[in-house]
Amino acid sequence: MDFQRSSFNAENCSVKRTLDIVGEKWTLLVLREVFYGARRFEQFHAGVGCARNVLTDRLTTLVDHELLRREPYREPGQRQRFEYRLTEKGLDLLPALLALMQWGDRWEADAAGPPVTITHRDCGEPVEVVLRCRAGHTALTARDTAAAAGPGALRVA
Amino acid sequence: MDFQRSSFNAENCSVKRTLDIVGEKWTLLVLREVFYGARRFEQFHAGVGCARNVLTDRLTTLVDHELLRREPYREPGQRQRFEYRLTEKGLDLLPALLALMQWGDRWEADAAGPPVTITHRDCGEPVEVVLRCRAGHTALTARDTAAAAGPGALRVA
């Protein structure tokens, strides 16, 4: 998909803006754990396996950008702590996370196959990430797509 | 989507394996430029804007993992150089890249709107990344999905 790329400034690129928030491996792995049901610091720490200060930093980034929200809780006899829950903005990142997973399943999995399967809760069939156009054409590939300047394009003077 | 996460080792997680290859901001931005039509070092450098040694390193990573292949070319009077072309493995990363873009378009774009539009080459309609199950149920959200151990799951002893 070619367009006159050199005529536009990529400063406001949406891929870059997304990666400025989640484009760090641990951040996406923290989100993976949230989708798998983790809510508490120790669950994230057990699942992600990064250093505790790194994890604290990544959770703060996700809260600051409103992908996660903090909810207070208190276990009997303990001080108040916080759980982390997905916001709508955070939930909306699932297609990106599953697209990365699907690529890894296809190209980097062990011979035994993918470690995790994602299914449709209602019917039990496997879930796939696909490219579809608004007219309903589906399973599009890179060769079926074209890029063009959008309404927010920054044209180079 | 909950499953008994703590019963499984995430060492072979497909998200992690993908991010081990492309989970660095510059790497995905290099791939963005390839999808936009860049083939030569100077095109990548102009589009991505990272340091030349970082760019060299990221291109090497993408070639080593077979997302890009090098093709020799020679301009008149110059020494032989290399272009970079997407392999099937690299082309297959487009859904992940567009999923990241779509999230950024929705949550982080300027008021003017998305800087780039992706359309279906045949019909001109906008392309979306959607979650679909094999039974054909489409536009699934996080709440419609369930995760379970797959054939390659590593159970914790």
Side-chain angles (χ1 to χ4, degrees):
Chain A
M1 51 179 186
D2 294 51
F3 73 123
Q4 280 303 323
R5 172 68 184 86
S6 58
S7 305
F8 301 96
N9 184 324
E11 185 227 306
N12 66 343
C13 165
S14 289
V15 180
K16 181 170 183 303
R17 291 219 172 147
T18 301
L19 296 175
D20 284 343
I21 300 173
V22 300
E24 197 284 326
K25 189 170 75 174
W26 299 119
T27 310
L28 283 165
L29 297 182
V30 167
L31 285 169
R32 174 192 73 192
E33 295 300 322
V34 191
F35 282 110
Y36 286 165
R39 289 185 175 176
R40 299 186 177 183
F41 190 91
E42 296 304 331
Q43 292 174 312
F44 293 121
H45 189 246
V48 172
C50 65
R52 299 177 76 86
N53 63 325
V54 172
L55 177 56
T56 298
D57 182 70
R58 297 308 180 269
L59 286 167
T60 300
T61 297
L62 290 168
V63 170
D64 286 349
H65 288 93
E66 302 181 316
L67 283 83
L68 297 180
R69 58 187 164 79
R70 285 197 176 94
E71 298 248 319
Y73 74 96
R74 189 192 294 267
E75 296 283 358
Q78 304 235 334
R79 68 176 171 81
Q80 178 179 282
R81 295 172 192 274
F82 290 92
E83 291 190 334
Y84 296 86
R85 308 282 187 94
L86 283 165
T87 61
E88 282 304 311
K89 188 175 177 181
L91 276 164
D92 195 41
L93 206 69
L94 184 66
L97 202 71
L98 291 187
L100 293 165
M101 181 190 282
Q102 178 170 289
W103 188 87
D105 284 347
R106 197 169 289 162
W107 297 99
E108 299 291 331
D110 293 335
V116 176
T117 58
I118 308 294
T119 54
H120 182 194
R121 205 180 275 278
D122 287 355
C123 78
E125 289 295 317
V127 169
E128 301 172 313
V129 180
V130 295
L131 301 183
R132 186 186 67 171
C133 81
R134 293 257 175 88
H137 302 113
T138 193
L140 306 179
T141 71
R143 296 189 180 88
D144 300 313
T145 65
L154 299 175
R155 198 170 283 274
V156 175
Chain B
M1 53 181 186
D2 295 52
F3 73 122
Q4 279 303 321
R5 173 69 184 85
S6 58
S7 305
F8 301 96
N9 184 323
E11 184 228 306
N12 66 342
C13 166
S14 290
V15 179
K16 181 171 185 303
R17 290 216 173 150
T18 301
L19 296 175
D20 284 343
I21 300 172
V22 300
E24 197 284 327
K25 189 171 75 173
W26 299 119
T27 310
L28 283 165
L29 296 183
V30 167
L31 285 169
R32 175 193 72 192
E33 295 300 320
V34 191
F35 281 110
Y36 286 165
R39 289 183 175 177
R40 298 184 178 184
F41 190 91
E42 296 303 331
Q43 294 174 311
F44 293 121
H45 189 247
V48 173
C50 66
R52 300 177 75 87
N53 62 326
V54 172
L55 177 56
T56 299
D57 182 71
R58 298 308 180 270
L59 286 167
T60 300
T61 297
L62 290 167
V63 170
D64 286 350
H65 288 92
E66 302 181 319
L67 282 83
L68 298 180
R69 58 187 165 78
R70 284 198 178 93
E71 296 249 320
Y73 74 97
R74 189 192 295 265
E75 296 283 357
Q78 304 234 335
R79 69 177 171 81
Q80 179 179 283
R81 295 172 193 274
F82 290 92
E83 292 191 332
Y84 297 85
R85 308 283 186 94
L86 283 164
T87 61
E88 282 303 312
K89 188 176 178 181
L91 277 164
D92 195 41
L93 206 69
L94 184 66
L97 202 71
L98 291 187
L100 293 165
M101 181 190 284
Q102 178 170 290
W103 188 87
D105 284 347
R106 197 169 289 164
W107 297 98
E108 298 292 331
D110 293 334
V116 176
T117 58
I118 307 294
T119 55
H120 182 194
R121 204 180 276 279
D122 287 354
C123 78
E125 290 294 318
V127 170
E128 301 172 313
V129 180
V130 295
L131 301 183
R132 186 186 65 172
C133 82
R134 293 257 175 87
H137 302 112
T138 191
L140 306 179
T141 71
R143 297 189 179 88
D144 301 312
T145 64
L154 299 174
R155 198 170 282 274
V156 175

